[in-house]
Amino acid sequence: MRERLPGLFAAVLAVATVAGCSSGSSSEPTAGKTLITVADMPPTTQQNVRQQFLDQVAAFEKQNPDIDIEPRESKWEAKTFAARLAGGQLETVFQVPLTEPVGMVKRRQVADITGEVEKLPHASEFDKRALAPATDQAGRIYGLPTSEFALGLVYNRELFGKAGLDVGKPPATWDEVRAAAKAITKKTGVPGFAVPATNNTGGWIFTAMTYTFGGRLQQETGGKAVATFDTEPARGVLGLLKAMRWEDDSMGTQHLRNAADLAKDFAAGKVAMMIATPSSYTEFATQFGGTPEVFGMAALPSGGTPATLLGGKVAVVSPKATATERAAAVKWIDFFHLKPKYDPQFAGSVAAAKSADKVPIGFPYVSLYGATVAEPVIEAERKHANVPVANFEPYETGVAAQEFVTEPAVAGQDTYAALDTAVQAILTRQDADPAGELGKAEEKAAAALDRAQR
């Protein structure tokens, strides 16, 4: 889902990129020009963001007079993608979840853009961890990330202080999380740790925790992805949750809620620790009325493996694009998605505009580039920071040493839905058996994976 951009931000983008804007769209190619179609244009209900998008199209066409862009509102959907590709209806450029490129590359549903990417500014300075989800084992590139996030541990600094814990040294392992949660509940009566368990968010968080124990929820067998839930790492996660819930009594009694409900409770000081993204600070401060100084964030704790779940979107190119169209498409991806991530001056102007609109600026994110490129951009943005940047330092330090593991590649939401039931069982029934619940969840997911790969 594209973030709605406030009015001033949209205005600055327009001024910064183009003078004398037009719609930029064209239904027919002009003689001698290359026409490409681009998906993900914001709908008319988001008028200022839509205009910003069209302004960018006009600016691109002005810089590249041999290319015409036809923007479209369509978005990638798993159920219709294959039919649209076969019917020649697919846009030249479109975005997909970070989980999709691996399967799409195998099915030859996206173009190899290695040659075009190698010609981009700072091409040799991409962070390989960020580029990995769209790169095959031979090093060929099939997409460019447009946004990525890495999960971490969000904690309430005030409750940590009341429990006598070091607010500047949050838990780095799950054993430390358990000890801190127990201490917070004992001293304050507030649940020390909580996880969501509905709307597939229980399975999503469970998956991230399993990665930190070295586990995976799918593996490839005979050319197909199969569910691998009942493993030692996964049983370790459910065992930890069961011990915190029933032995330590540090997870409270409210468990059938989704991630948004949990975020609201965290902002109200009703939960001391949860797993979330750095950008969750935005809803914490602007939607749920949380106190900025209370918000703290660390890297996802380790169960023996320094890893975290990586999510986001990737811009890819239709496999039916000609070489000229492919080159134009990658130029557009660079112009629209990548430039704000490698051009400090442009990034600074965007951050200033957002800050003026009281949009949170300064929390960390997964940069697509290595430190040489990323740090000047971050420095330019943080001149306009309006969040407690120092409170994110444990996250930034920890995540730098973690492996980024992407979400399950096949039937991801069905996988999460199946795992929701296992998490719910452990948190609501004291006699629930981790291995038994994982086995039942695996059976549900196996059927979904089979359907998805027919």
Side-chain angles (χ1 to χ4, degrees):
M1 180 178 295
R2 185 180 292 278
E3 180 184 2
R4 183 181 184 277
L5 304 181
L8 179 56
F9 174 41
V12 169
L13 277 175
V15 170
T17 56
V18 63
C21 301
S22 68
S23 70
S25 66
S26 171
S27 57
E28 296 293 337
T30 305
K33 291 189 174 185
T34 299
L35 173 67
I36 60 172
T37 52
V38 174
D40 300 294
M41 178 170 64
T44 54
T45 53
Q46 295 178 297
Q47 192 54 50
N48 63 334
V49 187
R50 181 185 178 94
Q51 187 57 51
Q52 179 263 329
F53 184 92
L54 292 172
D55 290 343
Q56 293 276 42
V57 169
F60 177 81
E61 290 179 333
K62 186 175 183 180
Q63 286 188 16
N64 299 274
D66 57 337
I67 301 173
D68 277 343
I69 287 183
E70 180 184 324
R72 296 179 181 173
E73 290 185 9
S74 53
K75 294 181 179 295
W76 177 85
E77 292 184 14
K79 293 181 179 178
T80 61
F81 171 68
R84 295 190 71 224
L85 175 61
Q89 300 170 324
L90 198 64
E91 288 75 22
T92 316
V93 183
F94 54 102
Q95 293 185 81
V96 300
L98 211 60
T99 54
E100 300 303 317
V102 172
M104 297 172 86
V105 170
K106 288 182 178 178
R107 297 187 293 270
R108 299 183 179 181
Q109 294 175 325
V110 289
D112 181 339
I113 55 174
T114 307
E116 291 77 15
V117 171
E118 288 174 347
K119 297 174 184 175
L120 295 179
H122 308 292
S124 64
E125 296 169 284
F126 280 113
D127 185 330
K128 291 184 178 178
R129 297 180 303 170
L131 211 56
T135 305
D136 70 7
Q137 293 184 341
R140 306 300 296 181
I141 300 169
Y142 293 85
L144 288 166
T146 57
S147 62
E148 292 186 339
F149 61 81
L151 288 173
L153 181 75
V154 174
Y155 66 101
N156 183 309
R157 292 166 58 90
E158 184 176 55
L159 289 173
F160 262 58
K162 287 181 177 178
L165 302 172
D166 185 347
V167 298
K169 192 178 179 183
T173 68
W174 290 113
D175 287 342
E176 292 176 1
V177 169
R178 183 178 178 182
K182 194 173 181 179
I184 290 168
T185 300
K186 183 178 180 180
K187 290 283 187 179
T188 69
V190 173
F193 180 66
V195 295
T198 65
N199 291 3
N200 304 352
T201 57
W204 179 50
I205 295 302
F206 173 85
T207 298
M209 293 179 70
T210 302
Y211 289 169
T212 72
F213 283 78
R216 300 291 186 269
L217 280 306
Q218 292 179 359
Q219 70 177 26
E220 188 171 307
T221 300
K224 286 191 172 183
V226 297
T228 55
F229 292 1
D230 187 16
T231 61
E232 184 175 345
R235 290 194 294 271
V237 173
L238 286 190
L240 170 69
L241 295 177
K242 183 172 184 176
M244 294 177 72
R245 168 68 178 93
W246 299 105
E247 294 176 25
D248 301 347
D249 196 23
S250 62
M251 296 187 69
T253 57
Q254 170 56 271
H255 300 295
L256 299 181
R257 56 190 165 190
N258 62 29
D261 295 334
L262 179 56
K264 189 183 298 183
D265 284 348
F266 177 79
K270 296 179 180 178
V271 171
M273 291 183 282
M274 65 176 188
I275 296 171
T277 66
S279 63
S280 67
Y281 176 87
T282 298
E283 60 185 20
F284 170 86
T286 65
Q287 186 175 347
F288 300 140
T291 304
E293 293 73 21
V294 165
F295 191 98
M297 186 153 196
L300 199 61
S302 172
T305 300
T308 186
L309 184 147
L310 182 73
K313 287 188 174 182
V314 178
V316 295
V317 178
S318 169
K320 295 190 176 183
T322 66
T324 305
E325 291 168 345
R326 198 166 60 240
V330 173
K331 272 190 175 181
W332 164 253
I333 295 170
D334 175 66
F335 179 87
F336 186 68
H337 295 290
L338 302 187
K339 185 177 179 182
K341 299 175 176 63
Y342 64 70
D343 185 326
Q345 184 176 359
F346 186 69
S349 66
V350 171
K354 281 188 172 181
S355 184
D357 273 346
K358 301 189 184 304
V359 176
I361 291 293
F363 56 76
Y365 55 84
V366 176
S367 175
L368 307 182
Y369 295 94
T372 304
V373 175
E375 289 181 356
V377 169
I378 293 171
E379 182 180 353
E381 292 173 336
R382 290 194 172 171
K383 288 179 181 177
H384 309 281
N386 54 13
V387 307
V389 174
N391 292 5
F392 292 90
E393 187 175 336
Y395 173 84
E396 291 190 283
T397 302
V399 81
Q402 288 183 318
E403 177 187 2
F404 292 164
V405 185
T406 56
E407 299 173 78
V410 180
Q413 292 304 318
D414 292 314
T415 295
Y416 292 155
L419 289 166
D420 268 2
T421 59
V423 175
Q424 290 168 13
I426 290 298
L427 295 178
T428 60
R429 290 187 3 242
Q430 190 168 3
D431 62 350
D433 170 54
E437 297 302 329
L438 288 168
K440 287 187 282 187
E442 187 173 298
E443 286 185 18
K444 290 182 183 177
L449 264 66
D450 186 51
R451 287 194 300 272
Q453 298 176 99
R454 286 174 184 168

